[in-house]
Amino acid sequence: MASERPLLDLSPRPPNLNPSPPPAPDLLKPIRSSRISARSRGSFDRITFAADVPLAALRHGSRADSDRASASQKDISDEDARLVYINDVSRTNERFEFAGNSIRTAKYSILTFLPRNFFEQFHRLAYIYFLVIAILNQLPQLAVFGRGASILPLTFVLLVTAMKDAYEDWRRHRSDRIENNRTALSLADGDFRPKRWKHIRVGEIIKVLSNETLPCDIVLLSTSDHTGVAYVQTINLDGESNLKTRYAKQETLHMEKKDLSGLIRCENPNRNIYGFNGNMEVDGKRVSLGPSNIILRGCELKNTSWAVGIVVYAGRETKVMLNSSGAPSKRSRLEIHMNRETLLLSGLLVILCTVVAVLAGIWLGVHKNELQLAQFFRKKDYSNKEEDNYNYYGMGMEVFIRFLMSVIVFQIMIPISLYISMELVRLGQAYFMIHDSSLYDEASHSAFQCRALNINEDLGQIKYVFSDKTGTLTENKMEFRCASIGGTDFSNGKSSVPGDWGVYSVVVGDQYWSPKMTVKTDSELLKLLRNRSDAEEWRRASNFFLALSACNTIVPLILDTPDPMQKLIDYQGESPDEQALVYAAAAYGFVLIERTSGHIIIDVLGDRQRFDILGLHEFDSDRKRMSVIVGFPDKSVKIFVKGADSSMLSVAERTLNLSIIEATESHLHAYSSLGLRTLVIGMREMNVEEFEEWHSSYDKASTALLGRGGLLKAVAANIESNLRILGASGIEDKLQEGVPQAIESLRQAGIKVWVLTGDKQETAISIGYSCKLLTGEMNQIIINSNSMESCKKSLEEALVTITKLSLMPTESENTSRIPLALIIDGKSLLYILEKDLEEELFKVATSCHVVLCCRVAPLQKAGIVALIKKRTDDMTLAIGDGANDVAMIQMADVGIGISGQEGRQAVMASDFAMGQFRFLVPLLLVHGHWNYQRMAYMILYNFYRNSIFVFVLFWYVLYTAFSLTTAVTEWSSVLYSVIYTALPTIVVGILDKDLSRKTLLKYPQLYGSGQREERYNLRLFIFTMMDSVWQSLAIFFIPYLAYRHSTVDGSTIGDLWTLAVVIMVNIHLGMDVLRWNWITHLSVWGCIVATFICLIIIDALPMLPGFWAIFHIMSTWAFWFCLAAILVAGMVPRFVMKAFTEFFFPNDIQIARELEKFGRINDARNSEVAMSTFSSGQNHSSL
């Protein structure tokens, strides 16, 4: 593992730990003007130790390693392992043919497109219904309409949807083709040659150059750095742009290409991107492999000229691809509920057809002796002497045929045009979301992306939001704000001049090197460091900033600027906290210039000094500390330690400077109350005996076969003791703009926000406070368990606590109970989600106001989302920015990817993409609310407008001997859903607004109407059907009573019924329109006029039935009287009921509309909750 890397070369001289003369002059003079990089080597003398101390690697694990060290040391049997023979592809794939490196993210192929796409489309029950209708209409006995005309509507809808899906999948195929045809360098015949990614196989050795992307998962063999270090960027995996360090084993660093051979035993492919377990046999030795030795597909090589590795996982078996499950087909909640209403309408249709068939049977029985003269049963052929038989198939068959013919005639009871209208409305809604300036991110120049057009309305019904942290809630940028040194608080502004930002330059030859980021400095602290008036205080401050510069894994990169005399130092590393601390040290004059695996160079207030890194214990979740053993130029050795306050104060030497420790604790509490991330810094000096004892213990622990991880932690804990506390730091995590306000608005809207992150628990809790997800009055339930039994016990205790708190009496009726926050780690979730404890976790989590999951793997994120989806009907939304969020995004009802400077994979897998977390507020509270209100009304209206037409046809059938003839012409039946009534509902579905944007943002509680399904539910559907029955009665019987004794034929009165239906449904729509504009006016009144024009044209054609009928009836006063009477009789009951309910039983939306209209609600300022942050707290008080 990493512990086998040599950090420095040792000479055989014994150490001199006594005070020594000042360093040689060459240590203090500026470095030559040649560019210093992380790979350069100085000529400074190294610290020396006794010859009998054979130092090997003095580095303790990596961050990912530390939590899994013990697990990664167990031996793997050949049966349970993947065997990879280095540089021997044929032997590697001899036993099992491992997956190639070709990937496929597309859903369809040429052969599977039509069957799979049609299978997905026929999840809509209405499509199955219309397919059955089209098949029935092909039978000669049932051919009510033309055979082609009956198939055309369904075929059109299916083909349009298929073309849209085919285009989207073609884009996926194109992306896959580009990815698979990229080239990498593969070792063949002793030389590296270009090879397409899709042809790379497990067992091959590949070479990756700087700034190239890894084509597959490789175990690192060697790098351009002679110590085997490689720096990678994992922006496509976890959304983080900071550099990560990976290491090659010492045994493979200097092997020649022709000698590259060996055997790797590693675990089978899995989704865990944070872990890797394996070992390698090379030159007769077996060395262990861990997460720090593997680079995953999608990473980019940075700050390293080249890296060589052996392919262990390829193609679909790579960890990133295993976490990218196929994009599921999502359907909106309204569309799913439409299946319920479709079934109800189908039942109603069956009832109507049954009534017609039964009554037809009765009529046939009564008139059985008159059938020879009946118009529709007798067909005579006078060309022959013998008459043909009449079309009568017997009573039973006639009843059955009438039933099927009724189904065909009443088929528009279920509106197929609704699905086309929904697609057009969603397209229009997407257009306005994409072009909304409030969803445009100026920083990244990224506009809102609507990648899935079929779930727009789901944005208005969200109940749970599952959010990643890094890159989603935060910018992953930290800013040093304050420090406590030696018991003195330097709060970065308490005594500094406004705008006093630290810009410290280092002279390198004839160039000036400055840190890339500036930090606001404290004038008192600067004065202390510059003047050295108090030697003891100066020494504490100097050691404090030396610890910040040395105790980290930061790599300084030198960047060019337009001015050749000016260079920028860019500090790159895994932890943004470390970056902030190093920049802070540089601002105060302690500039880290160079880091290698064995030493660092720091410019200390103008003096260039070299420090040897003798050992490094990185952070782990048990110790909660990091330490570095440093050899000073004066040959002394010190250990610098930084960590969480709880872990650092427990190992401090309290007999010395107790007052400093107490003052530091007080300052830590003050910093934490401002939401700052705090770290405590300590140190102590080491003598030769201590160092040799530590090295001996470390060497034994690093070579242990069993329990290696625990032994290494024990060694680290033993040396990190009796520390002298130097001080503490306060870092402000740079949240994305508006995150606290956004979370508060979502909370007011009744949306629960859960944060699922791979970060450690302390970081997640700190962010929770920073973004106001967690508050001081919340009771925290923390579950950190290492076994199923302890998990079960913790959940049971949590349930008892929740029950007790729920039974506690409150001070008043308006006082809510104590809010709860559940904080749980990934290790506990591992036992809970894989065992029978999900139900207990669900009860605890849903009883809490906030849930914070730490150290969770991508699959666990998806498991948490599934936990809610399986047990509730609440809508879920997941938002993230990295590949580790893909599974969560695809599992949720709505998936949102954060676009911009972070990873691309989350965006590619998402339904919507945007630049900032705060955009969730306008997206959900404004567009989501509008989309849901519009779509819900449009669906009910389409059911209404078609059912009223069917009921008119039904009443007519009852008065025509159940012969299923219609007074409405076939052309009018076709145009009814295309021209007469289609456009207004589409326009209203795109443009209508029940409330303004300002009102919806000021009162987030209005979002609850979508969560409660107030605009679309079974009760409203039943009332809509009742309304359509009443209006159809008015439309049919008023003209029937007016003309029943006249000579008006069926075609003429059919024109009257057609006009009455069209005017009625459009007036009905107009009564419900909330925001009129010229487009709405044009569509509503224009469709009525278009209906008149179409009827005139149809009746002016002599080849069609009803020639000139409309002209005859429009010339009579009875026609216009009937139209007026129909509108009054049909609409007055609806108007009265609407006025009664809105006056006496108004809902939240109606009350807000009245306030908006009469209370001048929009003149008030938008309601925003001002959050107290460190930045604003010192300048003004928040209201």
Side-chain angles (χ1 to χ4, degrees):
M1 296 183 67
S3 58
E4 300 174 53
R5 298 187 307 278
L7 295 181
L8 68 164
D9 298 327
L10 300 172
S11 60
R13 291 177 294 171
N16 179 8
L17 298 181
N18 296 322
S20 59
D26 63 336
L27 291 178
L28 302 179
K29 63 186 181 183
I31 300 176
R32 294 188 304 271
S33 60
S34 59
R35 185 185 181 97
I36 297 180
S37 70
R39 293 181 293 276
S40 62
R41 296 289 177 270
S43 59
F44 306 104
D45 292 332
R46 298 180 181 274
I47 187 168
T48 58
F49 287 84
D52 59 344
V53 184
L55 281 181
L58 303 182
R59 185 185 182 97
H60 167 53
S62 66
R63 297 185 183 209
D65 248 353
S66 57
D67 292 336
R68 305 171 178 87
S70 58
S72 58
Q73 295 307 309
K74 62 186 180 182
D75 204 14
I76 306 175
S77 64
D78 289 353
E79 290 76 15
D80 300 328
R82 163 169 289 202
L83 303 182
V84 180
Y85 293 90
I86 300 176
N87 201 23
D88 194 340
V89 176
S90 59
R91 192 176 179 190
T92 299
N93 293 270
E94 181 180 13
R95 182 180 174 188
F96 299 107
E97 184 69 25
F98 297 130
N101 201 42
S102 178
I103 65 166
R104 177 183 170 187
T105 60
K107 291 173 60 176
Y108 310 109
S109 67
I110 295 178
L111 294 178
T112 63
F113 175 74
L114 286 178
R116 183 175 178 183
N117 185 264
F118 284 172
F119 174 78
E120 292 176 355
Q121 290 197 60
F122 277 104
H123 276 82
R124 294 170 170 170
L125 294 181
Y127 285 11
I128 299 177
Y129 164 77
F130 283 105
L131 178 63
V132 173
I133 295 296
I135 293 174
L136 290 178
N137 201 67
Q138 305 308 305
L139 302 177
Q141 296 86 351
L142 306 177
V144 178
F145 304 113
R147 296 179 181 179
S150 63
I151 297 178
L152 190 59
L154 178 61
T155 303
F156 176 77
V157 173
L158 290 174
L159 290 180
V160 169
T161 306
M163 290 172 62
K164 182 199 74 171
D165 294 340
Y167 173 72
E168 292 177 352
D169 205 58
W170 173 79
R171 294 176 61 187
R172 296 190 193 100
H173 277 286
R174 182 180 61 180
S175 176
D176 292 344
R177 188 166 54 253
I178 293 173
E179 187 83 356
N180 290 328
N181 287 324
R182 296 172 70 176
T183 59
L185 296 176
S186 175
L187 183 62
D189 300 326
D191 196 10
F192 287 103
R193 300 175 181 176
K195 191 173 189 178
R196 294 186 187 276
W197 280 19
K198 62 183 178 182
H199 296 145
I200 294 175
R201 300 177 65 190
V202 174
E204 288 191 42
I205 294 176
I206 63 172
K207 183 176 184 179
V208 182
L209 304 181
S210 182
N211 297 320
E212 287 187 348
T213 302
L214 272 293
C216 43
D217 296 351
I218 66 170
V219 168
L220 207 55
L221 297 178
S222 62
T223 72
S224 56
D225 188 290
H226 74 274
T227 61
V229 179
Y231 301 99
V232 297
Q233 195 175 59
T234 59
I235 191 170
N236 289 330
L237 269 69
D238 53 19
E240 295 185 0
S241 57
N242 299 319
L243 295 185
K244 312 291 193 301
T245 52
R246 296 294 183 264
Y247 310 98
K249 308 302 290 187
Q250 286 290 308
E251 289 74 10
T252 61
L253 273 183
H254 307 293
M255 295 180 66
E256 296 293 333
K257 289 184 286 187
K258 57 183 177 59
D259 298 327
L260 286 173
S261 63
L263 173 64
I264 292 178
R265 287 182 177 88
C266 60
E267 58 193 0
N268 284 313
N270 59 71
R271 292 184 173 91
N272 186 3
I273 65 174
Y274 300 115
F276 176 69
N277 178 22
N279 56 62
M280 178 169 54
E281 294 179 5
V282 58
D283 291 337
K285 292 195 296 186
R286 174 180 291 189
V287 293
S288 60
L289 299 172
S292 62
N293 307 120
I294 187 172
I295 307 180
L296 304 183
R297 180 187 179 116
C299 295
E300 292 185 17
L301 190 67
K302 296 289 186 180
N303 200 38
T304 307
S305 297
W306 54 264
V308 173
I310 174 73
V311 178
V312 289
Y313 307 123
R316 65 177 182 274
E317 293 179 342
T318 57
K319 292 180 180 290
V320 68
M321 292 304 298
L322 289 174
N323 278 285
S324 301
S325 56
S329 298
K330 295 183 179 180
R331 293 190 299 148
S332 71
R333 178 64 56 85
L334 284 180
E335 192 171 326
I336 294 173
H337 284 177
M338 276 175 56
N339 282 342
R340 178 189 62 194
E341 274 68 54
T342 300
L343 289 173
L344 291 177
L345 287 175
S346 299
L348 179 59
L349 180 64
V350 170
I351 292 174
L352 295 180
C353 296
T354 302
V355 169
V356 171
V358 170
L359 293 179
I362 295 174
W363 187 90
L364 288 173
V366 172
H367 300 85
K368 61 183 177 180
N369 296 324
E370 306 171 15
L371 293 181
Q372 291 186 3
L373 301 177
Q375 181 179 359
F376 298 101
F377 294 95
R378 183 67 176 174
K379 288 187 178 179
K380 293 186 176 182
D381 185 359
Y382 293 100
S383 62
N384 299 322
K385 293 183 178 180
E386 294 185 3
E387 299 176 356
D388 290 338
N389 233 357
Y390 55 79
N391 292 326
Y392 184 66
Y393 302 96
M395 180 71 71
M397 184 57 69
E398 284 293 335
V399 170
F400 181 66
I401 290 175
R402 293 301 174 90
F403 177 86
L404 296 181
M405 292 177 68
S406 301
V407 172
I408 297 173
V409 172
F410 301 150
Q411 62 176 299
I412 63 169
M413 174 68 80
I414 300 173
I416 193 172
S417 60
L418 171 60
Y419 293 98
I420 300 177
S421 300
M422 290 175 68
E423 295 296 332
L424 293 174
V425 167
R426 286 165 175 162
L427 188 63
Q429 293 172 350
Y431 173 84
F432 286 107
M433 288 192 290
I434 292 171
H435 291 84
D436 187 351
S437 60
S438 65
L439 299 179
Y440 181 79
D441 184 25
E442 295 283 353
S444 61
H445 302 288
S446 57
F448 181 82
Q449 299 179 41
C450 187
R451 301 175 54 83
L453 292 177
N454 54 337
I455 56 173
N456 291 353
E457 57 270 22
D458 281 349
L459 294 171
Q461 296 182 275
I462 301 299
K463 186 66 176 179
Y464 288 89
V465 169
F466 301 91
S467 175
D468 179 40
K469 182 193 76 68
T470 304
T472 303
L473 296 179
T474 70
E475 296 179 355
N476 207 25
K477 297 176 182 177
M478 312 292 177
E479 184 174 338
F480 183 86
R481 304 298 300 170
C482 53
S484 170
I485 303 176
T488 303
D489 180 20
F490 300 97
S491 288
N492 245 15
K494 179 180 65 177
S495 57
S496 64
V497 179
D500 184 14
W501 295 83
V503 182
Y504 190 89
S505 296
V506 178
V507 178
V508 181
D510 57 352
Q511 296 177 343
Y512 291 89
W513 291 8
S514 303
K516 181 181 178 181
M517 305 291 293
T518 58
V519 177
K520 190 174 183 181
T521 56
D522 186 276
S523 59
E524 290 295 324
L525 184 53
L526 283 173
K527 182 178 178 181
L528 170 64
L529 292 170
R530 299 293 189 272
N531 297 339
R532 307 189 183 191
S533 56
D534 188 320
E536 182 63 26
E537 288 189 9
W538 181 88
R539 187 163 51 251
R540 288 199 193 98
S542 176
N543 284 327
F544 178 85
F545 286 110
L546 279 176
L548 297 189
S549 297
C551 191
N552 54 68
T553 56
I554 292 295
V555 179
L557 305 180
I558 311 304
L559 307 179
D560 294 324
T561 66
D563 184 0
M565 304 297 295
Q566 183 72 37
K567 303 290 183 181
L568 293 180
I569 306 175
D570 182 16
Y571 293 120
Q572 287 286 328
E574 293 188 31
S575 170
D577 298 80
E578 291 185 344
Q579 288 178 297
L581 294 176
V582 175
Y583 276 118
Y588 284 100
F590 295 75
V591 184
L592 176 64
I593 295 177
E594 177 183 349
R595 175 182 296 277
T596 72
S597 57
H599 71 268
I600 57 176
I601 295 178
I602 301 176
D603 185 287
V604 180
L605 299 172
D607 291 339
R608 201 72 36 75
Q609 299 184 27
R610 168 183 169 142
F611 301 86
D612 288 300
I613 304 300
L614 307 178
L616 180 66
H617 295 270
E618 291 197 12
F619 181 92
D620 67 63
S621 58
D622 293 332
R623 292 165 37 246
K624 298 182 176 64
R625 296 186 297 272
M626 174 188 181
S627 61
V628 60
I629 300 175
V630 179
F632 277 63
D634 62 1
K635 310 305 180 184
S636 63
V637 178
K638 297 178 182 179
I639 178 172
F640 291 114
V641 188
K642 69 178 180 184
D645 51 1
S646 59
S647 66
M648 289 293 294
L649 297 176
S650 64
V651 296
E653 179 56 67
R654 289 185 171 269
T655 58
L656 301 174
N657 301 320
L658 182 60
S659 60
I660 293 178
I661 295 178
E662 292 176 347
T664 303
E665 289 178 324
S666 175
H667 298 155
L668 286 169
H669 179 73
Y671 297 164
S672 299
S673 66
L674 293 171
L676 300 182
R677 300 160 63 92
T678 58
L679 286 174
V680 176
I681 314 299
M683 64 154 286
R684 71 179 176 90
E685 295 188 359
M686 298 178 64
N687 55 37
V688 175
E689 290 75 17
E690 284 181 306
F691 182 83
E692 291 180 350
E693 181 182 354
W694 167 81
H695 176 261
S696 176
S697 300
Y698 183 87
D699 188 53
K700 291 179 181 178
S702 63
T703 57
L705 295 178
L706 298 175
R708 178 175 178 268
L711 291 174
L712 288 172
K713 291 177 184 178
V715 171
N718 184 57
I719 198 65
E720 297 165 350
S721 60
N722 301 321
L723 300 177
R724 179 156 57 94
I725 299 300
L726 295 174
S729 64
I731 300 175
E732 184 178 14
D733 192 352
K734 300 298 291 184
L735 291 171
Q736 289 186 11
E737 180 184 353
V739 167
Q741 295 86 343
I743 289 178
E744 181 62 26
S745 294
L746 296 176
R747 183 177 289 160
Q748 292 181 21
I751 299 174
K752 292 186 176 182
V753 180
W754 292 14
V755 175
L756 315 177
T757 176
D759 285 341
K760 61 181 185 291
Q761 183 172 295
E762 293 76 16
T763 303
I765 292 176
S766 179
I767 289 295
Y769 280 110
S770 298
C771 66
K772 306 304 178 183
L773 184 71
L774 298 175
T775 59
E777 58 269 14
M778 282 185 176
N779 278 6
Q780 295 183 4
I781 299 174
I782 300 178
I783 300 179
N784 295 328
S785 303
N786 294 316
S787 66
M788 187 180 70
E789 291 73 19
S790 59
C791 279
K792 185 175 182 180
K793 183 179 179 181
S794 299
L795 290 173
E796 291 173 351
E797 293 175 350
L799 287 172
V800 171
T801 301
I802 291 170
T803 303
K804 288 181 179 179
L805 291 176
S806 64
L807 296 176
M808 289 178 60
T810 56
E811 297 179 1
S812 65
E813 294 182 359
N814 297 326
T815 304
S816 60
R817 63 184 179 89
I818 300 174
L820 296 173
L822 172 64
I823 301 170
I824 186 169
D825 66 352
K827 192 175 294 184
S828 302
L829 288 174
L830 187 65
Y831 296 106
I832 293 173
L833 296 179
E834 293 184 0
K835 304 296 179 182
D836 299 328
L837 298 177
E838 286 190 357
E839 189 62 34
E840 287 77 6
L841 175 62
F842 172 77
K843 293 177 182 178
V844 173
T846 52
S847 300
C848 296
H849 293 70
V850 173
V851 175
L852 206 57
C853 299
C854 323
R855 286 293 188 189
V856 290
L859 202 59
Q860 289 178 325
K861 292 185 178 184
I864 293 296
V865 177
L867 185 74
I868 297 299
K869 286 187 66 177
K870 290 178 182 177
R871 289 170 172 79
T872 70
D873 291 329
D874 297 326
M875 296 290 292
T876 59
L877 180 148
I879 179 171
D881 69 323
N884 58 338
D885 303 316
V886 168
M888 172 180 72
I889 287 172
Q890 293 182 341
M891 176 60 69
D893 296 302
V894 178
I896 296 182
I898 297 293
S899 60
Q901 51 183 316
E902 301 298 350
R904 302 185 304 268
Q905 296 210 18
V907 172
M908 296 301 295
S910 65
D911 305 307
F912 305 94
M914 56 189 187
Q916 297 279 331
F917 179 86
R918 62 187 169 91
F919 294 161
L920 267 185
V921 174
L923 179 64
L924 298 184
L925 271 57
V926 179
H927 288 287
H929 174 85
W930 285 343
N931 293 346
Y932 168 75
Q933 301 285 326
R934 296 162 174 167
M935 190 64 73
Y937 177 79
M938 193 193 77
I939 293 172
L940 287 176
Y941 175 79
N942 274 268
F943 286 149
Y944 152 79
R945 71 168 190 183
N946 280 45
S947 62
I948 192 174
F949 192 75
V950 169
F951 281 124
V952 170
L953 297 178
F954 175 74
W955 306 133
Y956 182 75
V957 169
L958 299 182
Y959 285 87
T960 55
F962 318 104
S963 59
L964 293 168
T965 58
T966 61
V968 179
T969 64
E970 185 174 330
W971 276 102
S972 290
S973 298
V974 172
L975 295 177
Y976 177 75
S977 298
V978 178
I979 294 180
Y980 297 170
T981 59
L983 186 59
T985 181
I986 295 173
V987 170
V988 171
I990 297 175
L991 299 179
D992 198 30
K993 299 178 182 178
D994 56 349
L995 292 168
S996 68
R997 177 188 296 266
K998 291 183 179 180
T999 303
L1000 292 172
L1001 292 176
K1002 184 171 184 178
Y1003 297 102
Q1005 297 86 346
L1006 295 171
Y1007 184 80
S1009 64
Q1011 298 171 335
R1012 296 186 295 270
E1013 299 183 345
E1014 291 182 355
R1015 291 302 301 271
Y1016 187 90
N1017 51 57
L1018 186 59
R1019 180 178 60 86
L1020 283 177
F1021 173 76
I1022 293 174
F1023 283 148
T1024 299
M1025 290 299 102
M1026 293 172 61
D1027 198 14
S1028 67
V1029 170
W1030 166 255
Q1031 292 182 10
S1032 69
L1033 288 171
I1035 292 171
F1036 177 80
F1037 282 100
I1038 290 177
Y1040 170 76
L1041 294 175
Y1043 289 103
R1044 61 176 177 169
H1045 297 303
S1046 69
T1047 58
V1048 171
D1049 61 2
S1051 297
T1052 304
I1053 201 171
D1055 289 341
L1056 174 56
W1057 283 330
T1058 301
L1059 282 172
V1061 170
V1062 172
I1063 295 174
M1064 178 75 78
V1065 297
N1066 280 285
I1067 294 296
H1068 177 111
L1069 178 68
M1071 185 182 292
D1072 293 332
V1073 171
L1074 302 172
R1075 300 288 170 116
W1076 283 91
N1077 53 61
W1078 69 269
I1079 301 178
T1080 308
H1081 279 290
L1082 182 63
S1083 63
V1084 172
W1085 311 121
C1087 280
I1088 295 176
V1089 173
T1091 304
F1092 273 96
I1093 295 173
C1094 288
L1095 287 177
I1096 291 173
I1097 294 174
I1098 292 172
D1099 285 357
L1101 299 175
M1103 73 286 298
L1104 297 177
F1107 176 66
W1108 221 250
I1110 188 68
F1111 300 100
H1112 288 298
I1113 195 170
M1114 285 178 62
S1115 62
T1116 63
W1117 66 269
F1119 171 83
W1120 301 105
F1121 172 79
C1122 286
L1123 281 180
I1126 288 170
L1127 292 177
V1128 173
M1131 296 304 299
V1132 165
R1134 173 174 176 77
F1135 176 80
V1136 171
M1137 181 59 66
K1138 187 180 179 70
F1140 178 80
T1141 54
E1142 291 189 10
F1143 187 82
F1144 292 102
F1145 306 101
N1147 57 33
D1148 295 341
I1149 303 296
Q1150 292 159 355
I1151 293 173
R1153 288 187 62 230
E1154 291 189 20
L1155 287 173
E1156 190 174 83
K1157 185 174 182 179
F1158 302 109
R1160 301 182 63 81
I1161 190 173
N1162 289 333
D1163 291 344
R1165 292 179 57 193
N1166 288 349
S1167 176
E1168 294 182 357
V1169 180
M1171 295 300 170
S1172 176
T1173 63
F1174 188 86
S1175 302
S1176 60
Q1178 298 185 23
N1179 299 323
H1180 65 276
S1181 59
S1182 300
L1183 296 179

